[in-house]
Amino acid sequence: MVSEIIVNVTSKEVSIAVTEDKVLVEFQRETRNESYAVGDIYFGKVKKILPGLNAAFIDVGYKKEGFLHYQDLGSNFNTQQKFLKKILSGDKKNTIVSKVSLLPEMQKDGKIAETLAAGEEVLVQIAKEPISTKGPRLTAELSFAGRYLVLIPFSDKVSVSTKIKSNEERARLRQLIQSVKTRNFGVIVRTSAEGKRVAELDHELKTLQKRFDDNILKLHKSKAPSLFYEETSRMVALLRDVLNPTFVHIYINNADVYRNVLDYVSLISPEQKDIVKHYTDELPIFDHFAITKQIKSSLARTVTFKYGAYLIIEHTEAMHVVDVNSGNRSNKNGNEPEEASFNVNIAAADELARQLRLRDMGGIIVVDFIDMTDAANRQKLFEHMNMVMSHDRARHNILPLSKFGLMQITRQRVRPVLDIDTSETCPTCSGSGHARPSILFTDTLEEKLDTLTNKLHVKNFILHIHPYVYAYITKGFISMLKHWKWKYSRNLKVIPNQSLGFLEYKFYDADNNEFEVNEKVEIK
């Protein structure tokens, strides 16, 4: 399997596509000013105690207070709070975590009303991003994730990933970490640490500890609510979790992001630094790698797959519902109905596993497969679903088919489901149903070019249009495009862009920033 990462950076957002053998399997999109992401740590203030839920609402600066349950306080919360109060009081003599005496662990069946009070200040970490009308889900057990290790302050436990099957390797890693870690810092050894040398693990451990030490001293000058520690960008977090020898290319269309990623890959995996490439072609990066087309075909409400079958995916507040339909060609080979249903269901399971990763669907997913009477086939489908989901990094649980042919899946949800509207509103009529004749569209473009060059005196700009329109204006020896360049600007560049509607267009300046062509606005 050959894996690639394609990164599209614009002025407003960063989109990250992960492909396996050229097939889109993961897609993440974040605005460039996004906050309250998973892993961020905030210095918050308790707003309200909810004894009935054994939880509290914490003000972290978001429009909705974060939710903190007693079970998410962590076993060493009392030690953490005692240390925090010393920092806030200005006691600089006792700000070294390794010299703190750990208090007894919290009782598992305790009451949050006996632990926290309204107005009290706490350090909390985002466990789930704000979703819909809900605020972020919080945890007070802080963690700093690296490529091989996860550092947990105010703890002394060392845990090793259960995915490392070798007892000898697990014992080696546990003993190694015990010998190099600092007192009062717990460590979780990740699966990627298997086979790594002590120097690599010790270096990362010191780096993670320095992150905590550098931020903790700033607290006595901070006021709640405020950001204590910001997790690395989603781009770096994705690389940290998924980068492995199967990745052959990482393409990035922005010079600054390219340099940051190159530095990070050189640090965590020097032997792979050459796979990071700066994409500089004029064609949009997602169009060049056929990502745009896959997004439009894979993220719609109806998703087709082989045998002419298709999935219908509906999102509700409580759950996601997936309906498997055989289509009108599923039994074209004359197979028995049971065999045909089984084949469609197996193919649907493959596509569903991809869709769960692609859309990052979490919570409860109910799948209505095509009915099968053979119990052996239902068991094979259940086993196949488990097998194709084994590559999913999110925690999940799959139940066998019920007597109604329904399969229930629960999947870890840490951020809102990716919901992209793949339909296109007519850019010329804005959905009203009334527009100028399409044959006059090129006249409209020429009017805009005239405004830019003769009235606003802009000479260097780029015009993005639909590929079909691009083919029309470039046809012939003396094409319409050549005529425009001769009449208006020799520096005019026209780029076919698959993400645009048929009669949609966008103008960009020399720095690739979009602007509106308006006679009342000066374009610099």
Side-chain angles (χ1 to χ4, degrees):
M1 180 176 64
V2 176
S3 303
E4 293 179 318
I5 296 177
I6 296 96
V7 184
N8 181 30
V9 182
T10 66
S11 58
K12 296 180 180 179
E13 63 184 21
V14 178
S15 301
I16 307 164
V18 180
T19 65
E20 294 176 355
D21 295 332
K22 305 297 183 182
V23 177
L24 183 66
V25 294
E26 287 190 42
F27 184 72
Q28 298 185 20
R29 176 179 289 175
E30 65 176 349
T31 57
R32 302 194 74 175
N33 59 351
E34 186 173 2
S35 56
Y36 304 101
V38 172
D40 289 351
I41 300 177
Y42 284 84
F43 179 42
K45 181 177 289 188
V46 180
K47 293 292 289 184
K48 187 177 181 181
I49 301 295
L50 306 171
L53 297 176
N54 203 17
F57 282 132
I58 312 294
D59 181 11
V60 292
Y62 189 67
K63 57 186 178 182
K64 289 275 190 178
E65 285 88 9
F67 183 82
L68 177 65
H69 193 272
Y70 177 85
Q71 298 292 339
D72 295 321
L73 291 176
S75 57
N76 292 290
F77 178 74
N78 288 331
T79 304
Q80 180 175 305
Q81 278 300 94
K82 182 180 177 180
F83 180 82
L84 177 61
K85 289 175 181 177
K86 287 182 178 180
I87 292 287
L88 297 177
S89 67
D91 185 359
K92 297 183 179 180
K93 295 181 180 180
N94 298 296
T95 57
I96 301 176
V97 176
S98 60
K99 295 183 178 180
V100 173
S101 298
L102 296 181
L103 298 176
E105 292 188 355
M106 300 269 291
Q107 296 181 4
K108 293 184 179 180
D109 56 350
K111 304 296 182 182
I112 199 166
E114 299 171 359
T115 309
L116 288 175
E120 191 171 349
E121 294 166 321
V122 291
L123 281 175
V124 289
Q125 190 165 25
I126 306 295
K128 291 183 180 179
E129 293 179 10
I131 297 174
S132 186
T133 58
K134 301 175 183 177
R137 179 72 182 260
L138 308 174
T139 175
E141 188 170 28
L142 310 182
S143 62
F144 295 79
R147 180 161 170 76
Y148 307 122
L149 308 171
V150 179
L151 183 72
I152 303 176
F154 310 105
S155 174
D156 254 335
K157 296 180 180 178
V158 175
S159 305
V160 181
S161 170
T162 55
K163 292 183 179 180
I164 299 178
K165 301 302 181 183
S166 170
N167 291 330
E168 292 80 4
E169 179 64 8
R170 291 170 59 85
R172 183 188 75 89
L173 290 170
R174 190 186 303 276
Q175 185 177 4
L176 188 157
I177 296 299
Q178 287 283 12
S179 65
V180 298
K181 83 174 189 67
T182 305
R183 182 174 176 267
N184 294 342
F185 281 95
V187 177
I188 298 174
V189 182
R190 307 183 73 175
T191 309
S192 56
E194 187 172 7
K196 299 302 176 183
R197 295 177 291 110
V198 62
E200 295 176 274
L201 301 180
D202 183 49
H203 177 265
E204 181 167 279
L205 193 59
K206 286 182 169 58
T207 302
L208 295 175
Q209 188 174 328
K210 188 174 185 299
R211 287 184 192 172
F212 176 78
D213 293 338
D214 289 348
N215 286 278
I216 200 71
L217 296 176
K218 303 175 185 176
L219 273 178
H220 69 280
K221 298 180 181 179
S222 303
K223 291 184 179 180
S226 62
L227 180 65
F228 169 75
Y229 166 76
E230 187 172 14
E231 176 64 296
T232 52
S233 69
R234 193 168 290 182
M235 175 74 241
V236 173
L238 180 70
L239 285 175
R240 183 186 65 205
D241 293 340
V242 308
L243 190 63
N244 59 57
T246 66
F247 281 90
V248 295
H249 294 115
I250 299 174
Y251 294 102
I252 304 165
N253 67 341
N254 179 276
D256 293 334
V257 177
Y258 161 74
R259 285 190 290 269
N260 291 338
V261 172
L262 180 61
D263 292 342
Y264 183 72
V265 173
S266 299
L267 176 66
I268 66 171
S269 185
E271 68 280 3
Q272 289 185 276
K273 65 179 182 179
D274 292 337
I275 71 175
V276 184
K277 309 289 184 182
H278 184 202
Y279 179 84
T280 57
D281 290 357
E282 292 182 345
L283 194 68
I285 187 170
F286 275 6
D287 289 5
H288 180 83
F289 292 101
I291 301 299
T292 303
K293 185 175 181 180
Q294 292 194 62
I295 290 173
K296 289 182 177 292
S297 63
S298 300
L299 292 172
R301 176 178 176 267
T302 301
V303 180
T304 58
F305 56 96
K306 61 182 180 179
Y307 302 119
Y310 58 95
L311 303 178
I312 296 179
I313 302 175
E314 296 280 5
H315 306 289
T316 71
E317 188 72 19
M319 66 178 67
H320 308 285
V321 181
V322 182
D323 185 33
V324 179
N325 288 275
S326 60
N328 57 5
R329 296 183 298 155
S330 60
N331 201 17
K332 63 181 181 179
N333 294 326
N335 298 331
E336 291 294 326
E338 178 74 11
E339 182 183 352
S341 298
F342 176 73
N343 290 336
V344 171
N345 283 338
I346 290 295
D350 294 335
E351 181 61 28
L352 177 61
R354 170 176 171 256
Q355 287 291 328
L356 295 181
R357 290 176 62 190
L358 185 58
R359 302 180 189 228
D360 204 6
M361 293 163 61
I364 301 172
I365 302 104
V366 177
V367 189
D368 183 11
F369 283 101
I370 299 173
D371 292 339
M372 296 183 295
T373 56
D374 191 340
N377 285 339
R378 292 197 295 269
Q379 179 62 26
K380 288 178 182 177
L381 176 60
F382 171 66
E383 293 172 354
H384 183 78
M385 194 73 220
N386 276 283
M387 187 268 290
V388 294
M389 286 284 288
S390 63
H391 305 294
D392 197 331
R393 289 180 290 113
R395 293 195 302 271
H396 58 270
N397 185 42
I398 305 172
L399 297 181
L401 271 74
S402 69
K403 62 181 180 180
F404 299 113
L406 302 177
M407 178 179 288
Q408 298 176 61
I409 302 172
T410 57
R411 188 175 182 272
Q412 181 185 19
R413 176 166 61 183
V414 295
R415 59 180 61 92
V417 62
L418 182 65
D419 191 10
I420 297 177
D421 186 6
T422 57
S423 62
E424 297 176 355
T425 300
C426 175
T428 49
C429 72
S430 300
S432 66
H434 300 281
R436 295 180 65 187
S438 57
I439 195 65
L440 301 180
F441 177 63
T442 53
D443 295 342
T444 301
L445 289 180
E446 189 164 0
E447 290 172 5
K448 299 296 182 181
L449 292 174
D450 181 58
T451 299
L452 271 173
T453 56
N454 297 326
K455 297 180 180 179
L456 300 178
H457 306 293
V458 180
K459 298 300 181 184
N460 294 316
F461 54 89
I462 304 170
L463 170 62
H464 283 228
I465 55 178
H466 191 276
Y468 288 175
V469 179
Y470 177 81
Y472 177 74
I473 67 171
T474 56
K475 71 176 182 177
F477 179 73
I478 304 178
S479 65
M480 190 178 297
L481 178 57
K482 288 182 179 179
H483 174 72
W484 288 350
K485 285 187 175 184
W486 173 79
K487 186 176 181 181
Y488 299 108
S489 173
R490 294 184 179 276
N491 295 322
L492 168 63
K493 289 184 179 179
V494 181
I495 305 295
N497 191 329
Q498 295 178 9
S499 65
L500 298 181
F502 181 56
L503 298 182
E504 190 177 5
Y505 60 90
K506 290 183 179 180
F507 283 96
Y508 294 85
D509 61 19
D511 296 323
N512 208 32
N513 296 314
E514 183 184 351
F515 59 81
E516 294 288 339
V517 181
N518 191 318
E519 294 184 35
K520 299 179 181 179
V521 181
E522 278 295 328
I523 307 297
K524 297 181 179 180

